[in-house]
Amino acid sequence: MRSEPAGPAVLLAGAVALLAGAWGFELIGGLVPCEMCWWQRWALLAVAFLAFDALLLGQLSTRQPLLGLVAHLSGWMALLAMIGNAGIALFHAGVEQKWWQGLTRCTAPPLAGDTQSMLADILAQPLVRCDAIPWQMFGISMAGWNFLISFGLSGVAAWLMLRTRR
């Protein structure tokens, strides 16, 4: 069973592009990611890994037929991870738009030293709220764009993976 490479290729390219955009906004634009932004990045890393795995194993399956099945499954797992990323992004966009309540937890650096140095360390950390919109284009936040792009990529990849080979 040889896996169709077009779907995983779309997922890999999309995940890499979304991650590059997120890291560009962070490293060049100075936007510090919130906790839910990190969840989306982890999901996109999973998509990239699984899609790359599907493509690589698909190429090797000409010599080992069992690898074709594993490649096929990896491609579908990459699609599920992209759908999961779209879900996280939709939840995050909803929190930003105040459509629903977000999570109410914060993170702090490891504590060491005396009270004054610990307080200084805590206060030096950037406070990034998940319900604030640090950047938007056409009224859509980064999380909203991530949802739209991830959802669209999921649809295209699913169509490519479901179509019959000729």
Side-chain angles (χ1 to χ4, degrees):
M1 170 185 238
R2 186 152 159 80
S3 181
E4 176 65 45
V10 165
L11 292 171
L12 177 60
V16 169
L18 286 168
L19 284 167
W23 283 323
F25 273 98
E26 180 182 355
L27 299 175
I28 298 168
L31 296 178
V32 180
C34 70
E35 185 173 347
M36 282 193 263
C37 293
W38 281 108
W39 297 351
Q40 293 165 77
R41 289 183 188 191
W42 284 112
L44 288 169
L45 285 169
V47 171
F49 173 78
L50 290 165
F52 180 78
D53 184 51
L55 292 171
L56 179 63
L57 293 177
Q59 289 298 313
L60 298 175
S61 68
T62 57
R63 292 176 284 197
Q64 295 283 337
L66 182 60
L67 292 180
L69 175 63
V70 177
H72 186 75
L73 292 174
S74 291
W76 284 102
M77 288 173 32
L79 177 61
L80 289 175
M82 184 62 88
I83 292 168
N85 175 62
I88 295 168
L90 178 61
F91 178 71
H92 189 184
V95 169
E96 289 175 333
Q97 297 296 333
K98 313 293 188 269
W99 295 339
W100 43 73
Q101 181 76 29
L103 304 176
T104 56
R105 65 181 192 185
C106 70
T107 57
L111 299 177
D114 62 3
T115 306
Q116 286 181 331
S117 65
M118 286 189 290
L119 183 59
D121 288 342
I122 291 170
L123 293 176
Q125 296 300 311
L127 176 65
V128 184
R129 296 175 46 137
C130 292
D131 61 351
I133 301 174
W135 180 90
Q136 60 183 336
M137 183 171 71
F138 307 122
I140 302 172
S141 69
M142 286 179 67
W145 283 110
N146 185 13
F147 166 72
L148 293 172
I149 293 167
S150 297
F151 188 73
L153 288 170
S154 297
V156 170
W159 178 77
L160 290 169
M161 292 165 69
L162 288 171
R163 73 181 181 169
T164 57
R165 279 190 90 157
R166 298 173 194 227

